[in-house]
Amino acid sequence: MKKINKNLITLLVACISCITVAQAQFGGLGKKLLDKGTEMASGGGLNKILKQPQAITTSFKDVNKTGSKPPSFMEGQTPEPLYLLPKTPEGAYKLCAGFYEMTCKSYCLHAGTRGPSSGDGYMLAPVLGPKRDVVILILKHAEKHPEVNQHSIQVLLWAIIARTRFIDFGTDIKLTATTLLSPNELLMLEGGALGVLPASVMAKAKDQLPPAAQSVFEAENNIRQLAASGNASYEQMEKYAMIAGLAPQPDPEVPSGIWSLHPDGYYIRFIPHGYSRTTVQIYVPKELVDTKPGLIYDGPNGIACPANVGAQRLAQTNEPLNPDMTKKLKVICN
């Protein structure tokens, strides 16, 4: 407990300092970060860095394709608004038998890759990796903080995905983190983080990585430097997080609009509109509800994962975009 309290005090002091003290020029901070990165990479540390897992490790290998349905499944049926379903105290949607749809906020969880392309198939995957719990908490808490805009949350997530140390976060990112996370939850941001690696170290590291991983590794390093600068804009971060151009050809066995069988027995599919908006459709068979009451859909607990390895993983939320609350459900759902 004493150790936790000590770490907690350190984080809180850092938070207070970042908000109340005038921000230093990045030149001095940048040198310290580069020195830290050089120190980490020396004495055999480079191998340790390369073996360190990504903050979120989910890949298409984690997708269970058993029970999937083709895009034509539910064709001709009209979905009802998912956001009109009742919610649990934790913010998940209580599911009733029927066909539902919601366009919600979504977030990029894979820096150095391309945005969703036409024809990309996305399927449900679990959120995995060392920063799984804190990423889910951020997505859940964001719904309770409408004053924090989507761009600010995306920048925070990019900083986490890039394995930036909390102590190195710039003022704005620290403010977003301290708004969305409790003091104890902030402790989850520590561990598994890297300093900014200098160009010489980056060159050595890239030589040891396969081509597909090189762009991700370099993008994360650039994001760490921007996150620490204190004045990086969303647009600057996006430039490194998103690769321009089209991703490689989509997997013909995983077409756009494919349906996943959720572990709880209902069907779900994702239709991305860029990386910041995703349309989610859910079909719940009546016989499933009859045998398995208490079904829920909790967006942040899953990732829309592309079969195309060059495309973005998309974190999901329970936050609808432009919901029409004048609509009424045709089904009775308590």
Side-chain angles (χ1 to χ4, degrees):
M1 182 63 71
K2 289 182 179 179
K3 184 178 180 181
I4 293 176
N5 288 340
K6 183 178 178 181
N7 291 337
L8 182 57
I9 291 171
T10 301
L11 283 175
L12 289 175
V13 169
C15 295
I16 294 170
S17 298
C18 81
I19 296 171
T20 59
V21 178
Q23 189 173 316
Q25 293 294 319
F26 182 53
L29 176 59
K31 184 177 185 305
K32 291 179 182 178
L33 288 170
L34 288 170
D35 289 345
K36 179 65 177 177
T38 304
E39 177 187 332
M40 292 177 68
S42 63
L46 181 57
N47 286 333
K48 185 177 179 181
I49 289 172
L50 293 176
K51 290 178 181 178
Q52 192 175 101
Q54 289 187 326
I56 297 296
T57 60
T58 302
S59 72
F60 199 72
K61 293 178 181 178
D62 301 307
V63 170
N64 185 351
K65 293 185 285 186
T66 304
S68 62
K69 297 288 186 182
S72 58
F73 182 62
M74 300 303 295
E75 194 173 77
Q77 303 298 310
T78 302
E80 296 201 63
L82 177 64
Y83 55 79
L84 292 181
L85 290 173
K87 301 183 78 171
T88 69
E90 293 76 29
Y93 291 96
K94 297 179 181 180
L95 296 177
C96 298
F99 180 29
Y100 305 95
E101 177 182 277
M102 173 176 72
T103 298
C104 60
K105 294 179 183 178
S106 55
Y107 292 91
C108 162
L109 284 185
H110 203 173
T113 53
R114 293 172 173 83
S117 303
S118 175
D120 281 343
Y122 278 75
M123 297 188 73
L124 178 68
V127 187
L128 303 173
K131 298 303 180 187
R132 171 194 181 275
D133 292 341
V134 73
V135 165
I136 290 175
L137 283 172
I138 288 168
L139 297 173
K140 284 179 173 290
H141 292 344
E143 190 171 4
K144 303 172 185 176
H145 290 276
E147 76 278 10
V148 183
N149 65 49
Q150 188 172 3
H151 281 186
S152 296
I153 296 168
Q154 179 64 81
V155 167
L156 171 60
L157 290 173
W158 275 330
I160 294 171
I161 298 309
R163 294 174 285 180
T164 311
R165 299 186 306 165
F166 178 82
I167 197 71
D168 295 335
F169 283 2
T171 305
D172 290 345
I173 304 178
K174 273 195 177 120
L175 184 59
T176 301
T178 54
T179 300
L180 297 178
L181 298 171
S182 70
N184 280 327
E185 290 167 349
L186 287 170
L187 293 174
M188 300 166 70
L189 294 174
E190 290 299 297
L194 299 177
V196 177
L197 303 178
S200 59
V201 176
M202 283 297 300
K204 291 179 182 178
K206 289 173 68 175
D207 285 343
Q208 299 182 41
L209 292 170
Q214 290 179 9
S215 60
V216 173
F217 193 76
E218 186 169 21
E220 288 184 353
N221 194 54
N222 288 327
I223 288 172
R224 284 194 294 275
Q225 184 164 334
L226 282 174
S229 72
N231 57 8
S233 68
Y234 166 82
E235 288 75 19
Q236 287 175 305
M237 279 226 185
E238 185 184 46
K239 182 179 71 172
Y240 291 119
M242 304 287 294
I243 297 178
L246 297 176
Q249 287 296 316
D251 185 337
E253 295 185 5
V254 187
S256 176
I258 190 172
W259 289 82
S260 296
L261 178 62
H262 191 279
D264 288 338
Y266 59 86
Y267 295 90
I268 182 170
R269 72 169 171 176
F270 305 99
I271 304 171
H273 312 284
Y275 65 84
S276 61
R277 294 187 304 128
T278 301
T279 295
V280 180
Q281 290 188 332
I282 291 175
Y283 170 63
V284 186
K286 185 178 184 305
E287 56 272 20
L288 176 65
V289 174
D290 292 341
T291 58
K292 196 172 184 178
L295 290 170
I296 64 168
Y297 169 66
D298 199 1
N301 286 332
I303 285 178
C305 191
N308 191 334
V309 295
Q312 299 279 348
R313 296 177 302 218
L314 303 178
Q316 299 301 301
T317 71
N318 294 324
E319 294 187 75
L321 286 166
N322 304 315
D324 184 354
M325 304 309 290
T326 65
K327 291 186 175 181
K328 302 293 183 183
L329 284 175
K330 295 178 182 178
V331 298
I332 298 175
C333 194
N334 299 316

